[in-house]
Amino acid sequence: MFTKILIANRGEIACRVIKTAQKLGIKTVAVYSEADKDARHVELADEAVLLGPAPSRESYLVADKIIAAAKATGAQAIHPGYGFLSENEDFARRVEEEGITFIGPKHYSIAAMGDKIASKKLAKEAKVNTIPGHNEPILSAESAVEIAKGIGYPVMIKASAGGGGKGLRVAFNDKDCFEGFTSCRNEARNSFGDDRVFMEKFVEEPRHIEIQVLGDSQGNVVYLHERECSIQRRHQKVIEEAPSPFISEATRKAMGEQAVALAKAVRYQSAGTVEFVVGKDQSFYFLEMNTRLQVEHPVTECITGVDLVEQMIRVAAGEPLPFKQDEIKREGWAIECRINAEDPFRNFLPSTGRLVKYQPPETSMEQAAPERFGVRVDTGVYEGGEIPMFYDSMIAKLIVHGKDRAEAIAKMREALNGFVIRGISSNIPFQSALLAHPDFGSGNFNTGFIAQHYGGGFKAEDVVHEDPGFLVALAGFIRRKAREREAGITGQLPGHEVKIEHDYMALVNEGAGRHQRHALHIDEFVGNLGEAHVRVGDRSYRIVSTSRLNDIRIAGTVNGRPFTAQAERGTAKNPLAYRIQHNGLAIEVSVLSPRAAELQALMPYKAPPDTSKFLLSPMPGLLVQIAAEPGQTVQAGERLAVIEAMKMENILIAERDVRIAEVLAKTGESLSVDQPILRFE
């Protein structure tokens, strides 16, 4: 067994590998860029080596620097994590040539499966079901359009070296195909240094289901059941679960056996994933093989009890797999939500900056010890740390394990309620809405689920709460609790003491100066239990909570049922209002005396400034293109600018016909949120 390994990655996955290495008594070496000098993985490791500047092409993607760091620190092996160099054949081969063990598959397996064109041909030879398509590199956008016509729309345009949703587009017509090919090729070149693109038929109403495999150096290969990964946005997974609520035992077995056959065909050693697209009739076709650890591996660990990182390390050290296929169990149901730094209410634009507050829910499962039936958080961040613009948007992975799917969904919803993130935006409200959707609950979904239900974007009204009156009642509860505390302060001027009212008016902010009004009646608190009876209109809530007034996370019971919610006093525009959040819904509510509410209704509303004559940057990022010049008329739907953030190209288009008056930013400039780029006439 190794005594020291280097982790050639950052963030959550670097921390994850370090945890398992510590469990095995192995020392670890972290590598980091200048942007990550204070990162959590650097702190957790026994040693750390600076690679270079923040851009990954100057740090995490430089093989020479990583190999030099391993040799300088005496690391006997390198674990690549996922992304970056994890599926780079040249890197794996060079590591081995330098006498260092690569904790992953051999370079020839990566070569065979890492190239999506070659892998499809090999899959056919191994008698694995494959999708019709054009498996040779496409050289131009014009050729792409002609090939797409031959295959028949819709088609999927994919970068040969792509992954993680990058270098991938779906085209439904010639225009989509022409533009998608160009963007696909650019993203592939920038992210992977390989701009080869191919095309295949897009299976409509598909499900994305993948099989986890493990192989050792003795030729043993097993599959550890499947993961359902159909809930995707822009081809990036949002929620993953294991097992799938869709496939039958017969389909599971057939997919697993084909995955094993493919792995054996390439002499696969280590953990890997064979991805399939599955039709509604349970027909399935090979998509690709990811020759690395997957982001969503924790759900497999939960249902099988197998630490996949540990097995990767043991296999790399020459040990055989400790189990056979019939010894792999499947117990309970696991779900993973990817918590990303993005604003779902602004078309999921990246959100970077400092984590002013970061309080994940309480956990009962450890990263390196797949214990059962609890909550687990895999993360690489900490409160006060930075979310930089140079890397992907993941803050954490939230994983739950229940006895069945219904219990897992309930656990996940409650865990999301208790996940406190401030300073940047996160996709937690979106995750909550997805989990509450009846089609998700019933398992009636496919990869088009998000496009179907949120095709026009995600809006506040898309968050459907089963009882929004509870949020108003909770605000009243907190306000009354604060008044109780204020009334107990000694030294108050006689005749002017704080009075504890029973009746209030709650004003829920609806924007543009409008408020929804709710009459509240609150009975006295009972003993020291933090209990009150709150009436909102004709509904009554018995709330019990001993959480402190300065706690953001509020836990207790309402009408005898446990709840976790979030509450804060003061918002950017109203320091006296409360912000209450539960099950994805967030409201801004002021709890006033009836007289104060009457006076508030007389206050004038000040409208925000008109910015319609400007193109504003919706996110921090690098301005890589300005597609318009002063005096040029641009039609609705045409490109205005391109901003690169978190390794993704974000195209800004004209919402209406406009004439450009002035260019206010320069190509290559680092933009801040709401920075003007163009001014319209």
Side-chain angles (χ1 to χ4, degrees), residues 88 108 114 127 159 161 185 193 199 252 255 270 292 334 364 389 404 422-423 448 513 580 613 620 626 629 675:
N88 187 297
Y108 49 78
K127 301 190 185 320
R185 202 172 190 183
M199 187 182 297
R252 176 177 291 115
M255 291 174 69
S270 194
R292 55 171 168 81
S364 54
M389 62 179 280
D404 54 32
R422 299 292 185 271
I580 309 293
K613 288 191 175 295
I626 296 177
E629 300 177 351
Q675 181 175 335

Side-chain angles (χ1 to χ4, degrees), residues 212 224 226-227 242 296-305 308:
Q212 176 72 59
L224 287 85
E226 82 283 0
R227 293 185 289 258
E296 57 273 19
H297 74 272
V299 294
T300 296
E301 293 183 328
C302 287
I303 66 167
T304 62
L308 290 170

Side-chain angles (χ1 to χ4, degrees), residues 346 349 608-621 623 640-643 650-656 660 662 664-665 671-680:
R346 299 184 70 189
L349 293 173
D610 181 14
T611 59
S612 61
K613 288 191 175 295
F614 294 90
L615 175 67
L616 304 179
S617 176
M619 74 199 85
L623 182 60
L640 290 173
V642 179
I643 298 174
N650 299 274
I651 300 173
L652 308 185
I653 62 173
E655 295 181 354
R656 64 184 191 283
I660 309 302
E662 187 179 5
L664 302 172
L671 303 175
S672 57
V673 177
D674 291 335
Q675 181 175 335
I677 302 171
L678 300 172
R679 182 173 64 84
F680 309 132

Side-chain angles (χ1 to χ4, degrees), residues 54-74:
S56 55
R57 62 181 176 275
E58 300 178 49
S59 51
Y60 296 107
L61 288 173
V62 183
D64 288 342
K65 293 183 178 180
I66 293 169
I67 291 171
K71 294 173 78 172
T73 57

Side-chain angles (χ1 to χ4, degrees), residues 156-159 165-170 180 184 187 234-235 288:
M156 182 176 287
I157 307 164
K158 302 176 73 172
K166 298 173 184 66
L168 190 152
R169 296 289 189 279
V170 175
C184 211
E187 283 186 7
R234 290 179 64 178
H235 309 291
E288 61 182 332

